[in-house]
Amino acid sequence: MRADAERLAGVLKAIADPARLRLLSLIQSAPEGEASVSDLTAPLGLSQPTVSHHLRILTEAGLLEREKRGVWAYYRLVPSTIAAIADLLTPPRKRAAKRAR
Amino acid sequence: MRADAERLAGVLKAIADPARLRLLSLIQSAPEGEASVSDLTAPLGLSQPTVSHHLRILTEAGLLEREKRGVWAYYRLVPSTIAAIADLLTPPRKRAAKRAR
């Protein structure tokens, strides 16, 4: 439990930033659930290097995966990391009910 | 969206700490879903002032509510705050399916 908590605290620290929360939200709402840096600069109102910096932190935390196609890299959410956090926040009874479904 | 992100980042910063994650997990697993400081010191291996400090941060972030009964204060999770975070982490399609159920 202590090791899990340490690992998860690191992931949550990566999310606990307004720009990175907005990035995650934009990516998960994007067509096909993926976006490139150039898709994200305008809606966030941030420069390309700043967006790239935030994307790197989210990728290193295991929240995003990066796929290079041609000259662009595309980012999408990693469902298992997101599920682990959502699971942590679901009370044990609800979690058991979900599994039984 | 920017104001939501600011507010939520604050809540996530409160959670993004190993001791506080373990506190939340212990409280949501406790009988009746509530615990007092004295219930939490032994399982966490932390002193009462340290546990109180973490409980205060979680309460100020809106993650825990505190009820005084007799000499003890009891803490429980605030479902709406937890739901808001879980919702953020659920892709829009799944969220729509959930609402339709």
Side-chain angles (χ1 to χ4, degrees):
Chain A
M1 178 188 182
R2 192 171 300 202
D4 281 358
E6 294 279 353
R7 194 181 42 79
L8 195 56
V11 177
L12 288 169
K13 267 182 197 137
I15 309 186
D17 173 276
R20 293 199 286 275
L21 279 172
R22 292 173 66 207
L23 267 177
L24 290 175
S25 172
L26 285 166
I27 293 170
Q28 76 175 1
S29 310
E32 311 293 325
E34 64 175 25
S36 67
V37 178
S38 69
D39 297 328
L40 297 164
T41 51
L44 276 175
L46 295 173
S47 71
Q48 188 154 328
T50 303
V51 172
S52 292
H53 163 77
H54 288 307
L55 288 170
R56 191 167 57 247
I57 290 173
L58 291 169
T59 305
E60 280 168 6
L63 286 154
L64 291 180
E65 58 192 13
R66 181 182 184 279
E67 194 195 339
K68 193 104 193 270
R69 291 205 301 272
V71 289
W72 295 107
Y74 292 85
Y75 293 85
R76 54 172 58 247
L77 266 61
V78 176
S80 59
T81 310
I82 303 290
I85 300 171
D87 211 50
L88 169 98
L89 298 166
T90 309
R93 268 159 299 178
K94 277 200 192 163
R95 222 182 291 156
K98 234 190 209 170
R99 286 212 193 94
R101 246 184 251 146
Chain B
M1 179 188 180
R2 193 171 298 202
D4 281 359
E6 294 280 351
R7 194 182 41 80
L8 194 57
V11 177
L12 288 168
K13 267 183 196 136
I15 309 186
D17 173 277
R20 293 200 286 274
L21 279 172
R22 292 172 66 207
L23 266 177
L24 289 175
S25 172
L26 284 166
I27 293 171
Q28 76 175 1
S29 311
E32 311 293 325
E34 64 174 25
S36 67
V37 178
S38 69
D39 296 328
L40 297 163
T41 51
L44 276 175
L46 295 173
S47 71
Q48 188 154 328
T50 303
V51 171
S52 293
H53 164 77
H54 287 308
L55 288 171
R56 192 166 56 246
I57 289 173
L58 291 170
T59 306
E60 281 168 5
L63 285 154
L64 292 180
E65 57 193 11
R66 182 181 182 279
E67 194 194 340
K68 194 105 195 267
R69 291 205 300 273
V71 291
W72 293 108
Y74 292 84
Y75 293 85
R76 55 171 58 245
L77 266 62
V78 176
S80 59
T81 309
I82 303 291
I85 300 170
D87 211 51
L88 170 96
L89 299 166
T90 309
R93 269 157 300 179
K94 277 199 191 163
R95 221 182 290 157
K98 233 190 207 169
R99 284 210 195 95
R101 243 183 253 146

